[in-house]
Amino acid sequence: MKLILDGNINSYYIQTLCMIFFPGEKFGAAEQLDPNAPELYIRLSEDDDGVETYARITVGEKSASAEKYYTYSADYGKEKTVKLACGAVVVAVCGEVMGYRPAWGMLTGVRPSKVATELLHVGLSKTRVKRILTGDYFVIPKKAALATEVALNEQKLIGTPSPKDCSVYISIPFCPTRCSYCSFVSYTSPKLLQLIPEYLEHLLMDMEYTFKKIRELGLRIATVYIGGGTPTILTADQLRVLLSKIAELTDVSALEEYTLESGRPDTITAEKMAVAKEYGVTRVCVNPQSMSDVVLQNIGRTHTAEDFLRAYDIAKNAEIPVINTDLIVGLPGDNFKTFSATFDKILSLRPENITVHTFCIKKAAEILRQGNNVYSLRGGDAGKCVDYSQLKAQEENYLPYYMYRQKNTVGNLENVGFSLEGCEGRYNIYMMEEVHSIFALGAGAVSKMVDYRPKQGGKPMIERLFYPKYPYEYLRDESTQDKMLAMEEFYTRRGLLDD
């Protein structure tokens, strides 16, 4: 897509808006693009009272134009006014030529409930927040209501964050096989899987340094999350080594939540779940994605719906307090009939958490290399499936407590976590809402140093520290002590350790 921007316009923001209407679109210089690629021109001019924007788009033989003037107000500063004005004209012209109204309007970020949260923080009522979302951001009413409800539920769980709270993320980036839609850093070849014993040894050493620094800083660990990949690819003995080390380094009984990703049913055994229970794990994820064997085969999952039910029963019988199940809307070969049957079956099991994702295409996904045309603007049955999940969840007393969005999702739809009351996945909220620091360990792990003090005004202060992406690089990495010193320096510089 060719963009011509005239004025002080954030090009990345315009690109993200365009991708709502043109999923998978590429941007670049005119000579690098197809001569028939869509062309969008935007002009921005400013005066003392406000900003004027004009946009014109050409897509094949279709074209549209729009002009908007936004006055500065006490509610919105200059930066946000410019953003709203640009968003308004892009949504108007793209919507006209494509005959499409995006459910989330001009909201493009990972956190669609963020705007609702900010508005609630300044004391606006739920009704007023929903009106702003629909009126200023063009969000359709049911999505505005969802964003507001999620924001309220998140804030109840977050409460007043303490600067001395933190969480720990431990990466096990290995899987038995790679799903065709996956873009996570996960490794499946026999050669790489042979690295697991050495990887685990190096990880335990880094855990020693990290937990020691957390204690020295006087921080409280709220949650521990062991993710991947698929951590339950570890043998029962390897899992015991990992979990016993965590129990040695911190009081797991004091944690608000202790999660072990067990996503692939074909890696779950009674022995592994017994080890998890023995060492205090309070939450596991057993993920069917779909209860249709045909859909599972389409996406490269090597388990069946029956395998999931077996794994779910194992986790339940192990008396793990909270079980999460992940589902994906819009998978290749899925439709409303198969998805609604999947969702009804999951509801009948009554897991404590249900997370409904929308199928998302990342550049690194194998499915793109297979030559499949997977991008979808309207999403087919996806919108109907998402609506069904949200209505049925509400009927069964599941609360939406967590939500995020990704680029290039089918139908530009959202991912929502539902929970029975009191069983919410806290790590997900703390990580997504950036309310405290995350000490992350292992290949591909990213620590986030966070100073979250909204009462001081402005956005949270965040700095990141990265481990090497690949396991064989991580095995040669000796940066953990330096990372811990950087974390300490951040806490000291920001005054987070002051009483």
Side-chain angles (χ1 to χ4, degrees), residues 284-407:
V284 297
C285 305
V286 186
N287 301 334
Q289 314 300 29
S290 171
M291 294 298 285
S292 165
D293 288 343
V294 172
V295 174
L296 291 172
Q297 187 176 15
N298 286 344
I299 60 174
R301 300 284 278 199
T302 55
H303 67 85
T304 64
E306 192 61 36
D307 290 332
F308 161 74
L309 293 172
R310 174 196 60 80
Y312 185 89
D313 282 344
I314 288 173
K316 203 71 175 174
N317 291 335
E319 298 182 344
I320 305 292
V322 175
I323 299 178
N324 173 75
T325 58
D326 277 7
L327 304 175
I328 302 179
V329 166
L331 288 168
D334 207 4
N335 55 42
F336 179 73
K337 181 178 179 180
T338 50
F339 177 81
S340 59
T342 288
F343 199 74
D344 289 346
K345 180 60 179 177
I346 296 302
L347 284 176
S348 73
L349 299 174
R350 204 150 182 85
E352 288 74 19
N353 291 172
I354 305 173
T355 308
V356 180
H357 300 268
T358 305
F359 184 43
C360 172
I361 307 303
K362 296 290 185 70
K363 291 180 181 179
E366 175 63 27
I367 199 167
L368 289 180
R369 292 192 287 273
Q370 296 169 358
N372 296 315
N373 182 18
V374 293
Y375 294 116
S376 175
L377 176 62
R378 291 170 178 80
D381 283 354
K384 188 177 179 182
C385 293
V386 166
D387 288 348
Y388 183 83
S389 69
Q390 293 172 7
L391 289 170
K392 291 291 287 187
Q394 183 180 25
E395 289 176 6
E396 296 297 326
N397 296 316
Y398 284 86
L399 301 173
Y401 73 95
Y402 160 68
M403 177 170 59
Y404 69 102
R405 289 171 63 225
Q406 297 164 282
K407 297 176 187 175

Side-chain angles (χ1 to χ4, degrees), residues 5-22:
L5 306 181
D6 181 3
N8 186 22
I9 302 170
N10 185 320
S11 62
Y12 178 75
Y13 174 58
I14 301 302
Q15 289 178 18
T16 58
L17 284 169
C18 290
M19 288 175 69
I20 295 173
F21 299 89
F22 303 92

Side-chain angles (χ1 to χ4, degrees), residues 20-65:
I20 295 173
F21 299 89
F22 303 92
E25 188 63 49
K26 293 179 173 59
F27 301 87
E31 60 272 14
Q32 300 173 328
L33 299 171
D34 184 326
N36 297 316
E39 180 179 295
L40 176 64
Y41 167 80
I42 306 176
R43 183 183 68 240
L44 170 70
S45 57
E46 306 173 53
D47 59 33
D48 292 339
D49 298 320
V51 298
E52 181 179 65
T53 50
Y54 168 83
R56 180 184 68 251
I57 191 169
T58 302
V59 182
E61 296 182 354
K62 294 182 179 180
S63 65
S65 62

